[in-house]
C-alpha cells in the first residue's frame, strides 16, 4: 500500500473503513502508537507483540491497574448479524485476554445496532446472539467473572443513552458520524452506554475500562470519552481507554468483509469444504509465477494468508518471523503456505465447534432465550 | 387579537406557542374543526360544547367506537415539572371524560421530556409525578380501568422509540421540531411510543386511540401518525386520533404560563391567599374605568377570568352564555366577576386538596415510589 496516496482515511463504524496506512491515524485522529508501551505490559497479548494492536487512547490507567492489580474492566462486544469469523474472533480473544489478566469483562451484544444499521429484527439477531455467545464461551470467556448482555434487554444501557442525549448537539453527531438517520444516532448513544456501563454503581462504580476494538470503532470512543467527561460530576466516570487492532485482510483481497461477497471471509459454521475452497482461492502477496516468486519473494504485507497466521494461527512469534523471512526470500510458495494454513484452520474450527456445541445451552441461559 | 396579523403560527411542544388565531390552524396545519362533529358525539364533554376543544385529527374512528361501544383508548399525560394548574387540569379532565365514556385510559408521566427539555433530573420529577398522579386520581381517574406510568420506567415505550428511530430521518425531525439537541429528538420518539403504547399486544392490540392535548402538542401527533403508518405492517397500528383544546389564557395577560413568571398562573398547592391575590390582580378584558365599561362593555374574548369560568368553573353552559352577555353589555364589572370566581376557585381547590391527600398513597403505589 503506497504511502504516497493522498486519500484521507474515514473511520466509519457503520460503513466501510479501509485503512491504507495505519501510521497516518496517529496524526489524523490522535490515536497513540501502542508499541512504546509494549515493554511495560506485564504479560503482553500476542496481538500486542505482533503489532496487530497498533494504537490506543489513554492506555496508561489500564497499564497502571494491570501492574498494581487494581480493579479495572474490559468492555467490547459483537453486532449479531451473523456467525463468528476471523474479524469477530480478534475482538473476542482480546476481551478474554484482559479478563484473564484480571479485568472484569463486559461483552455486549449490539442487537440495537444490528437493527438500526442492518435492519435485522430482534427476533432474528437473537439466534445469531446465542451462537456468538457460545463462540465466546468456547474461546474461554469466563461468565462468572464477566457480564454478557443484549443492548435491547439491558435497561441501564438504554437509560444512559437517554440521559446522555441531553448533552449531545446535532452538530456533534454530524461531525462524528455524518448525517445519518435517528436510529443510528440513538444506536451510537447506546454504544456510549455500553462503554460506561461497567462504571455504574451496580458494577462497583467508577473504574478504568479498556475497550479493545477494530480501529473503525474509534468514533464511538471519541463520543463516549466526551460524554464521560460531560457527565463526570454526576457519575464520577473515569474516561474510558481503548486499544485498536488492525482489520484482518479479506481473503479475496477486497477492501471489507461483506455478506454480499461471501469469498471475502468464512465463518466457523461453514463446512470444511467451503473453508478449504475459500483459503485455496485466497488472494495472496505472491507473484504471477513460481519462478518469479522464487526470484523476487512474496509480499506478506498485502497477504491475507500471512495475516491469518499472524492474527490467529501461529502460536509462536518466531513462527511468524520465520514465515515472513521465508515468504520475502521466496523460499516458500503460496500453494504450500495455504496448504499448511488449511490444515491448521480446519483443525481449529473442528475443535472450536465441538466446544461451541457444549456451550450452546449455557449461552441460551445467559441471554435468557427460551 | 387582530386577524390582520400576518405572523405565521409555530406549534412548538418544547417552546412557546402563542396562538393568535385558532381558525388559522385549520388551514396551516390541516387540523379539522371539531364543531361539525359535535352533534354526533353521544354525550359531548363540556369543553367540546363550549368550543374549548376546537379541532381534531381523524376523530371519526373514535366517534364510531363511542357510538358502537367498541374498544378504544384515550392517551395523554403530563410533564412532571411542577404542581397541577389550570392548564394541566384541562387535559386531565379530558382524559377522565373519555375514560368515563368507555375508553381504556393511559396517562403518561413525561419525565424523560422533563429531563431532556427542562433539565429536571428523575429524582426531582418523581416528587412532582406523585403529586400529579394524586391530582389525577382526585379528579376521578379510575386506575382500575387505566394505566398510569412514567416514561423512564416503561420499557415498552422506550423500546418503541428505539424501533421507530430506524425510519426517521434527520430531515423529518428538523422539519417538525427544528434543529434541537439529541435528547429532545429522543424525547419526541418516546412520545410517539407513549401514543402507540395502547395498541401493543400487551394492551389488547390495535385500537382507535384519541389523544386529547393542547394544540401546541400537535407536532408529536404528526410524527406519531407518520410512524404508525410506517410501522403498520409490523404492529397493525390504527393511526391515532387527536383532539385539540385551546390554551387557557395566562392570568397576567402574558403569552405563556411560565415558572419564571409566577403571576401568569397558580398551582393548586398554593395558599388561598396567593391564589386570591393572583386572581384579584389578573388581567381582564375590562375597560380603564367603570364608567367606560358600563358604556362599552368588556371583551371576554381576551379575558383570562372569562376563560377560567368557561374552561373549568361554570358547570352549566347557560352560565357561560349569561356571563358573556353580561360582560359584553357592561352589566357586570371585572371586580365583582373576579370576586365570584375567587370564591368558586378557593372552594374547588380546598375540596380538591382534600381528595388529593387521600390519594397520595395510592399515587405512590401506582408509581412504585418508596
Amino acid at each position: 500500500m503506497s504511502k504516497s496516496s493522498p486519500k484521507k482515511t474515514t473511520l466509519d463504524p457503520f460503513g466501510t473503513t479501509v485503512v491504507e496506512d495505519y501510521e497516518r491515524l496517529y496524526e489524523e485522529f490522535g490515536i497513540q502508537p501502542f508499541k512504546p508501551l509494549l515493554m511495560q505490559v506485564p504479560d503482553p497479548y500476542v496481538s500486542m507483540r505482533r503489532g496487530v494492536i497498533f494504537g490506543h487512547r489513554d492506555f496508561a490507567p489500564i497499564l497502571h491497574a494491570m501492574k498494581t492489580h487494581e480493579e479495572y474492566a474490559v468492555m467490547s462486544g459483537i453486532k449479531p448479524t451473523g456467525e463468528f469469523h476471523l474479524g469477530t474472533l480478534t475482538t473476542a480473544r482480546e476481551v478474554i485476554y484482559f479478563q484473564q489478566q484480571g479485568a472484569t469483562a463486559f461483552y455486549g451484544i449490539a442487537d440495537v445496532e444490528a437493527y438500526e444499521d442492518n435492519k435485522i429484527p430482534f427476533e432474528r439477531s437473537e439466534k445469531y446472539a446465542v451462537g456468538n455467545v457460545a463462540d465466546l464461551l468456547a474461546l474461554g470467556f469466563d461468565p462468572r467473572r464477566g457480564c454478557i448482555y443484549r443492548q435491547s434487554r439491558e435497561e441501564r444501557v438504554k437509560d444512559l443513552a437517554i440521559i446522555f442525549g441531553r448533552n449531545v448537539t446535532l452538530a456533534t453527531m454530524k461531525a462524528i458520524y455524518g448525517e445519518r438517520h435517528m436510529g443510528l444516532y440513538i444506536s451510537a448513544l447506546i454504544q456510549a452506554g455500553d462503554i460506561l456501563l461497567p462504571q455504574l454503581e451496580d458494577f462497583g462504580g467508577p473504574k478504568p475500562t479498556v475497550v479493545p476494538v477494530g480501529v473503525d470503532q474509534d468514533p464511538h470512543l471519541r463520543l463516549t470519552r466526551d460524554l464521560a467527561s460531560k457527565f463526570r460530576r454526576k457519575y464520577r466516570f473515569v474516561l474510558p481507554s481503548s486499544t485498536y487492532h488492525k482489520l484482518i485482510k479479506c481473503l479475496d483481497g477486497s477492501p471489507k468483509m461483506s455478506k454480499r461477497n461471501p469469498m471475502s471471509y468464512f465463518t466457523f459454521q461453514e463446512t470444511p469444504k467451503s473453508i478449504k475452497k475459500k483459503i485455496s482461492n485466497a488472494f495472496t502477496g505472491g507473484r504471477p509465477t513460481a519462478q518469479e516468486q522464487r526470484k523476487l519473494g512474496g509480499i506478506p504485507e498485502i497477504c491475507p494468508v500471512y495475516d491469518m497466521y499472524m492474527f490467529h494461527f501461529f502460536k509462536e512469534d518466531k513462527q511468524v518471523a520465520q514465515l515472513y523471512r521465508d515468504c520475502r526470500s521466496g523460499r516458500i510458495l503460496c500453494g504450500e503456505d495455504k496448504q499448511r494454513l488449511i490444515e491448521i484452520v480446519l483443525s481449529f474450527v473442528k475443535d472450536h465447534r465441538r466446544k461451541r456445541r457444549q456451550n450452546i445451552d449455557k449461552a441460551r441461559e445467559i441471554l435468557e432465550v427460551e
Side-chain angles (χ1 to χ4, degrees), chain A residues 8 49 71 83-84 88 157 167 212 238 320 328:
Chain A
K8 209 166 149 57
R49 298 193 314 259
E71 195 192 0
E83 301 293 348
F84 249 59
T88 45
V157 159
N167 286 49
V238 177
V320 182
R328 271 288 187 198

Side-chain angles (χ1 to χ4, degrees), chain A residues 7 149 227 250 343 354:
Chain A
K7 210 168 71 184
Y149 66 91
L227 286 167
C250 296
E343 280 165 35
R354 184 180 52 75

Side-chain angles (χ1 to χ4, degrees), chain A residues 73-86:
Chain A
V74 58
M75 199 293 135
S76 196
I78 190 168
K79 193 161 70 164
T81 57
E83 301 293 348
F84 249 59
H85 52 69
L86 296 175

Side-chain angles (χ1 to χ4, degrees), chain A residues 31-316:
Chain A
I31 290 174
Q32 299 294 311
F34 194 83
K35 206 173 177 185
L37 299 180
L38 187 59
M39 295 292 288
Q40 299 180 58
V41 180
D43 181 12
Y45 181 52
V46 54
S47 296
M48 295 173 178
R49 298 193 314 259
R50 297 179 190 175
V52 171
I53 292 178
F54 70 96
H56 73 95
R57 277 188 199 274
D58 206 10
F59 194 71
I62 302 301
L63 204 49
H64 179 79
M66 291 176 98
K67 283 179 188 167
T68 58
H69 302 285
E70 279 171 27
E71 195 192 0
Y72 73 107
V74 58
M75 199 293 135
S76 196
I78 190 168
K79 193 161 70 164
T81 57
E83 301 293 348
F84 249 59
H85 52 69
L86 296 175
T88 45
L89 180 64
T90 310
T91 308
R93 283 181 156 172
E94 287 166 359
V95 169
I96 293 166
Y97 159 77
F98 282 111
Q99 185 183 43
Q100 288 170 348
Q101 293 296 310
T104 310
F106 291 76
Y107 194 76
I109 307 294
D111 59 352
V112 170
E113 189 183 342
Y115 168 75
E116 305 288 7
D117 191 18
N118 307 81
K119 299 195 196 183
I120 298 185
F122 296 116
E123 309 84 66
R124 192 140 63 86
S125 61
E126 180 173 284
K127 284 176 199 144
Y128 291 129
V130 169
N132 295 165
V133 170
D135 282 306
L136 184 75
L137 298 172
L139 291 167
F141 186 95
D142 180 357
R144 291 163 305 176
R145 287 175 44 243
C147 171
I148 299 172
Y149 66 91
R150 276 181 278 179
Q151 289 176 327
S152 68
R153 303 291 179 94
E154 179 46 66
E155 304 309 334
R156 288 167 291 201
V157 159
K158 290 186 268 182
D159 288 345
L160 281 174
I162 288 170
I163 287 167
F164 293 159
R166 178 78 190 82
N167 286 49
V168 180
T169 64
L170 216 52
T172 299
M173 293 310 273
K174 277 198 244 175
I176 299 180
Y177 298 103
E179 173 128 357
R180 313 303 282 258
H181 66 75
M182 275 297 295
L184 270 186
Y185 286 168
I186 292 174
S187 156
L189 291 175
I190 286 177
Q191 300 259 349
D194 286 329
I195 294 173
L196 295 168
L197 180 70
Q199 299 198 48
L200 294 186
E201 288 305 327
D202 289 357
F203 296 102
K207 61 178 74 64
T209 305
V210 61
V211 186
V213 283
V215 67
D216 55 327
Q217 300 297 307
D218 181 54
H220 293 316
L221 264 298
R222 276 181 279 150
L223 175 67
T224 307
R225 285 173 58 86
D226 182 44
L227 286 167
S229 170
K230 279 177 174 155
F231 285 86
R232 204 174 223 165
R233 202 153 59 155
K234 184 172 164 64
Y235 293 97
R236 299 180 296 121
F237 286 136
V238 177
L239 262 58
S241 312
S242 51
T243 61
Y244 300 108
H245 57 246
K246 295 180 181 174
L247 305 177
I248 194 165
K249 290 182 189 72
C250 296
L251 279 182
D252 63 349
S254 62
K256 176 134 176 159
M257 290 182 190
S258 154
K259 286 200 181 146
R260 274 181 234 132
N261 184 10
M263 291 305 280
S264 65
Y265 73 111
F266 60 83
T267 79
F268 301 162
Q269 296 308 108
E270 286 181 38
T271 60
K273 197 178 157 189
S274 169
I275 294 173
K276 186 177 172 180
K277 187 182 161 196
K278 288 183 181 180
I279 298 177
S280 299
N281 291 331
F283 171 82
T284 69
R287 305 290 175 178
T289 66
Q291 198 184 4
E292 272 183 82
Q293 188 153 350
R294 293 276 180 218
K295 190 173 146 200
L296 299 169
I299 311 167
E301 286 81 357
I302 63 165
C303 179
V305 172
Y306 177 77
D307 255 18
M308 286 170 72
Y309 281 116
M310 185 176 66
F311 274 64
H312 294 300
F313 294 109
F314 268 154
K315 290 222 172 74
E316 305 297 328

